[in-house]
Amino acid sequence: MVKFKRILLKLSGESLMGKQNYGIDAERLSDYARQIKEVHDMGVQIGIVIGGGNIFRGLSGSQKGFDRVKGDQMGMCATVINSLALSSALGAIGVKTKVMTAIRMEPIGEFYNKWKAIEAMENGTICIFSCGTGSPYFTTDTGSSLRGIEIEADVMLKGTRVDGVYTADPEKDPTAQKFDEITFDEIYHRHLKVMDLTATTMCRENHLPIYVFNMDVYGNLKKVISGESIGTLVHD
Ligand code: UDP
């Protein structure tokens, strides 16, 4: 039994680094690919957005003197690199994928189109949406909200390195308590950082629930799809 029929999975670029300080860790990449295959084999339709923070972030670039828009474009290119890596890792274990780009760059990827994406997912192909929203000053969290809403996903699964939403940062505050579920209103009220505000607001206004969980523990994605309560559900 699967809890969600169609998902938008958001993976951060940073977690692709694994134990490295930069770039793509082959072991982490293959772990992710195998976890994704497990839920694909259960018949779940999958769209994926992957960040680029393991390679370049526009905001940090602009702090070092890069033009912000060019820096963001570099960041969007980084998401394409990660998307191609994930597509390749999934292909290596027999899973069909389609990399779509929010900015035209054929033949690297197909220009994003909602209906083509849905058709592909319905036919068992995983769609990897790269370049975030395609515009500067946004993040891949916003890209995930946007694509999740557009493809009519049942949920956005935000795979992170913590196992849910806490009252405070659990890596800094040992007294922090985890929520099993929380409303969008409470997220604002308590100033919790689940995603950036633009992304959170888009999900709230379009009623797309977010499930935050630790994707770095092998098997967790399957647990979430099977309905095990291992993370935090953010809902209306
Ligand atoms: N980016 C952008 N527009 C988008 C999505 C991403 O300009 O719609 C750029 C931005 O510079 C961002 C970088 O791409 O810093 C990488 O994305 P993000 O920081 O979201 O990656 P993550 O933190 O998930 O690794």
Side-chain angles (χ1 to χ4, degrees):
M1 275 297 285
V2 298
K3 188 163 171 150
F4 307 108
K5 209 168 147 262
R6 183 180 294 156
I7 61 169
L8 188 292
L9 175 65
K10 161 75 207 296
L11 299 172
S12 85
E14 211 163 301
S15 31
L16 265 194
M17 289 193 291
K19 295 180 205 84
Q20 302 177 178
N21 297 320
Y22 178 84
I24 301 171
D25 175 46
E27 210 176 303
R28 175 58 56 78
L29 183 68
S30 135
D31 252 34
Y32 279 178
R34 285 182 299 126
Q35 289 203 68
I36 293 164
K37 182 180 187 314
E38 274 184 357
V39 301
H40 182 255
D41 289 345
M42 292 163 83
V44 179
Q45 295 180 23
I46 306 170
I48 302 173
V49 168
I50 185 151
N54 54 325
I55 301 171
F56 198 85
R57 279 204 181 97
L59 189 59
S60 356
S62 69
Q63 283 153 5
K64 292 180 198 139
F66 280 89
D67 173 79
R68 174 69 195 264
V69 172
K70 290 200 193 317
D72 280 339
Q73 288 169 338
M74 290 165 72
M76 288 188 265
C77 290
T79 71
V80 178
I81 293 174
N82 288 336
S83 299
L84 293 173
L86 186 62
S87 161
S88 164
L90 283 162
I93 53 173
V95 181
K96 271 197 273 172
T97 63
K98 188 195 268 286
V99 174
M100 295 189 122
T101 61
I103 297 168
R104 279 197 179 280
M105 53 176 86
E106 295 96 342
I108 287 178
E110 190 176 319
F111 191 45
Y112 172 75
N113 174 303
K114 165 187 169 158
W115 294 277
K116 282 194 179 161
I118 290 180
E119 190 184 350
M121 288 185 297
E122 283 175 346
N123 290 329
T125 298
I126 294 180
C127 289
I128 307 176
F129 305 117
S130 64
C131 304
T133 62
S135 297
Y137 296 96
F138 288 99
T139 63
T140 49
D141 278 343
T142 313
S144 318
S145 315
L146 178 63
R147 296 297 179 238
I149 293 160
E150 281 188 278
I151 65 164
E152 298 163 35
D154 300 321
V155 69
M156 182 206 294
L157 301 182
K158 186 170 158 69
T160 66
R161 56 181 187 180
V162 286
D163 61 355
V165 180
Y166 282 76
T167 48
D169 184 347
E171 289 176 350
K172 291 181 189 141
D173 181 350
T175 65
Q177 304 274 314
K178 187 183 148 202
F179 296 97
D180 289 333
E181 56 176 278
I182 186 166
T183 61
F184 284 109
D185 281 347
E186 224 179 326
I187 293 279
Y188 294 126
H189 188 67
R190 291 174 176 260
H191 303 287
L192 297 174
K193 247 202 121 278
V194 176
M195 301 195 299
D196 58 78
L197 281 178
T198 316
T200 311
T201 304
M202 275 198 75
C203 288
R204 179 178 185 256
E205 287 181 344
N206 294 281
H207 315 289
L208 177 66
I210 308 165
Y211 197 81
V212 183
F213 72 107
N214 186 344
M215 176 82 184
D216 296 353
V217 175
Y218 192 89
N220 269 359
L221 181 60
K222 189 175 180 181
K223 286 186 182 168
V224 172
I225 295 297
S226 310
E228 274 187 54
S229 178
I230 57 162
T232 302
L233 178 71
V234 187
H235 58 89
D236 280 339

